[in-house]
Amino acid sequence: MEYTEKVMDHFANPRNVGEIENASGIGEVGNAQCGDIMKIFLDIDGDVVKDVKFKTFGCGAAVASSSAATEMIKGKTIKEALNVTNKAVVEDLGGLPPAKLHCSVLAQEAIMAALWDYSQKNGITIEGVRPPRAEDHHHE
């Protein structure tokens, strides 16, 4: 399996690892088939993602996808953060092996879930933010 240098770099030196206390929004998603679990914490001020942290339990591609995605949304508006699709994450990483593309999808889903959590906590509707689908959650 070939990983790009950028994937390896994010895996070896992941950015924004950890958690945010009293986070504005927290999104946790998992993929039962591969066992990857991603948790993203957002600190939102106004409509800007001031800070973002993640904890990922999974393979190198999952860690790299989370790391790249958090870098891509940090300092951005909620609307811009919503534009960070799994395709954008894969492009940023310079590509992922086909078998690992689901990792980038998880990163996108985790961001969406965290924004949903934020909207619920604040009783607001954010255009484009939808609740996590049932199949995103696999808590046995």
Side-chain angles (χ1 to χ4, degrees), residues 47-49 72-73 75-85:
D47 70 337
V48 175
V49 178
M72 291 168 78
I73 65 169
K76 299 285 195 327
T77 65
I78 290 171
K79 202 174 175 143
E80 288 169 327
L82 277 171
N83 290 330
V84 175
T85 60

Side-chain angles (χ1 to χ4, degrees), residues 56-121:
T56 291
F57 178 84
C59 65
V63 171
S65 294
S66 318
S67 176
T70 57
E71 272 206 315
M72 291 168 78
I73 65 169
K74 199 171 182 173
K76 299 285 195 327
T77 65
I78 290 171
K79 202 174 175 143
E80 288 169 327
L82 277 171
N83 290 330
V84 175
T85 60
N86 64 300
K87 282 192 185 74
V89 171
V90 172
E91 273 171 32
D92 186 66
L93 290 169
L96 279 174
K100 293 296 179 182
L101 287 173
H102 67 266
C103 296
S104 62
V105 175
L106 266 185
Q108 180 186 355
E109 293 291 343
I111 292 168
M112 180 69 83
L115 287 170
W116 173 257
D117 183 46
Y118 168 72
S119 71
Q120 294 303 290
K121 282 178 178 162

Side-chain angles (χ1 to χ4, degrees), residues 117-139:
D117 183 46
Y118 168 72
S119 71
Q120 294 303 290
K121 282 178 178 162
N122 292 278
I124 55 175
T125 305
I126 303 168
E127 201 183 326
V129 173
R130 57 166 176 74
R133 297 189 307 264
E135 65 266 26
D136 291 340
H137 293 280
H138 297 284
H139 296 297

